[in-house]
Amino acid sequence: MKKYLLILLSISLLGIHAQSQDKFYTGVSGEMIFSFANIDNNGVAGSNLVRWTPWFNVQFFGNYDINNNVGLIFGAAIRNVGFIYDNAPNLTNTSVNENDIIKYKFRNYDFGIPVGVKVGVLDKIFLYGGYEIEFPFQYKQKTFINDVKQDNKISTWFTSRTPAYYNTFFAGVQFPYGLNLKFKWYTSGFFNENYTEVQNGFQVQPYQGLKANIWYFSLCFDIFNKGKVVYEEF
């Protein structure tokens, strides 16, 4: 944790120094996320559906352009990230029949701190990538049986159902006129597998052996464009 904060602080100081040279600038954008998950439930592969999330995702990036072709990026984000587990086993104390089809929708609101680099023609089109640490702070879980939403929704803050933070890596391409396409991979599992709760008077670990790693594509606009809606050159 400390080394990532030191990296962020170092890049921030570079940005402040570069501001007088017109090499430092910022950008703010929303993000439209299409997320999936690789699911392994105690050795059994699970199926999932695409989760489309246009709200609420906000990201801020500071940019330091070393030259016209190489730059550094850093910032902060609040992101709505989750997945839909289809044809799932029963993870709660909900009463189900043998032929019932169970579906879960899981999501976190995370606070992220990204750092990375960008390479290309920075006022036209370029590639970028880096590392982002994300801290989950609001968790929600919904249960559907035969596509009917149940009344046992879970919505809680700073829960131990998830790990304290996620390690993630991202890569993307910035196109002219502001369009941005990004891919992101969470190397940390979504759940805290050691989480324990009481169901029907017994202590159980509902996520034990349930490994779910999220990955997603996202679309956004105007992150790295110096505040201009349209690029000056193309």
Side-chain angles (χ1 to χ4, degrees), residues 133-151:
I133 186 170
E134 291 193 4
F135 301 92
F137 61 87
Q138 213 287 333
Y139 173 88
K140 183 176 288 187
Q141 175 179 316
K142 295 180 182 179
T143 304
F144 296 79
I145 298 178
N146 301 322
D147 286 329
V148 177
K149 185 167 71 171
Q150 305 301 296
D151 294 331

Side-chain angles (χ1 to χ4, degrees), residues 113-142:
I113 304 175
V115 292
V117 298
K118 52 184 180 176
V119 179
V121 183
L122 299 186
D123 62 351
K124 296 181 181 179
I125 184 172
F126 57 85
L127 302 175
Y128 65 93
Y131 167 84
E132 183 168 2
I133 186 170
E134 291 193 4
F135 301 92
F137 61 87
Q138 213 287 333
Y139 173 88
K140 183 176 288 187
Q141 175 179 316
K142 295 180 182 179

